[in-house]
Amino acid sequence: MNMAMPESTAMSRQRRRACVTLSGSAGLLIVLFAAGWIGGLRFNTTPSEPLGLWRIVPLTRAARSGETVFVCPPDNVAMREARQRGYLRPGLCPGGFGPLIKTVIAVAGQRVDVTDRVAIDGVPIPGSRIMQNDAQGRSLRRDRSGIVRPGEMYLHSDFIGSWDSRYFGPVPVSGVLGLAQEVLTYEP
């Protein structure tokens, strides 16, 4: 005797299985994402540094010149304008900004000269040419020359279109989240 199951019951079981599978997969992704977030993993989607997965390595000392760091930008007029222009991503830093990944090129006491490019203590920084306009043709303000004050640092990226201290000046060292360590990245 062959008793076939009604079609609606078979469809109901398939839907239930599909819902359980999808729910389990979504739950697993949420757990993996949360674990990565807690473990300091972040995705970089901007060309200032290689694209991909990075890790925030906690620092127990001040960041040094030459180190690449994750830093929360200060909540000020320049950063709010940058957010409106699309230079900054949204995130969990004060002001709703996403953290930046930049290289520290000057710390307190060092002289920064900003002309058509940047020099630190008289040494020109490669890849630091100052752009007059952004990709949309909007004018860019450039930072002024001077000595980096205590509690501040000067940030840079070799990418010509990078929004860095060339345009917004030094940032507070208190915004440093940690060293930026590449995990799985690529340069397009």
Side-chain angles (χ1 to χ4, degrees):
M1 178 186 270
N2 186 4
M3 295 191 61
M5 207 181 314
E7 191 173 317
S8 63
T9 304
M11 288 294 276
S12 177
R13 282 186 181 164
Q14 286 177 338
R15 284 186 185 148
R16 209 172 305 126
R17 257 187 249 138
C19 284
V20 167
T21 301
L22 286 174
S23 296
S25 297
L28 180 62
L29 284 174
I30 290 170
V31 167
L32 289 173
F33 181 78
W37 188 264
I38 291 167
L41 296 178
R42 302 293 186 274
F43 281 103
N44 178 41
T45 59
T46 67
S48 292
E49 295 296 336
L51 304 175
L53 189 62
W54 290 72
R55 180 172 176 254
I56 300 173
V57 179
L59 262 175
T60 56
R61 57 169 175 74
R64 297 180 185 134
S65 189
E67 292 181 322
T68 303
V69 296
F70 273 94
V71 62
C72 281
D75 185 7
N76 60 28
V77 173
M79 295 303 170
R80 286 191 291 277
E81 180 182 12
R83 174 85 170 98
Q84 288 174 339
R85 288 184 171 197
Y87 305 159
L88 299 177
R89 305 270 194 259
L92 300 176
C93 291
F97 308 122
L100 305 173
I101 304 174
K102 303 290 180 202
T103 299
V104 178
I105 60 168
V107 294
Q110 291 188 284
R111 176 155 188 83
V112 177
D113 289 306
V114 182
T115 56
D116 61 333
R117 60 190 62 249
V118 175
I120 306 299
D121 293 332
V123 178
I125 301 299
S128 68
R129 189 175 66 159
I130 306 294
M131 303 300 292
Q132 300 303 312
N133 299 306
D134 68 10
Q136 306 287 313
R138 298 171 290 200
S139 67
L140 292 168
R141 291 185 204 107
R142 68 176 192 197
D143 186 41
R144 60 194 191 298
S145 299
I147 304 292
V148 179
R149 297 182 303 217
E152 294 183 334
M153 62 186 174
Y154 209 84
L155 305 173
H156 176 67
S157 168
D158 290 340
F159 177 64
I160 190 68
S162 176
W163 178 249
D164 56 34
S165 289
R166 290 176 275 189
Y167 306 106
F168 56 73
V171 298
V173 297
S174 60
V176 172
L177 300 173
L179 293 175
Q181 179 183 63
E182 293 181 57
V183 176
L184 186 60
T185 63
Y186 70 98
E187 294 193 47

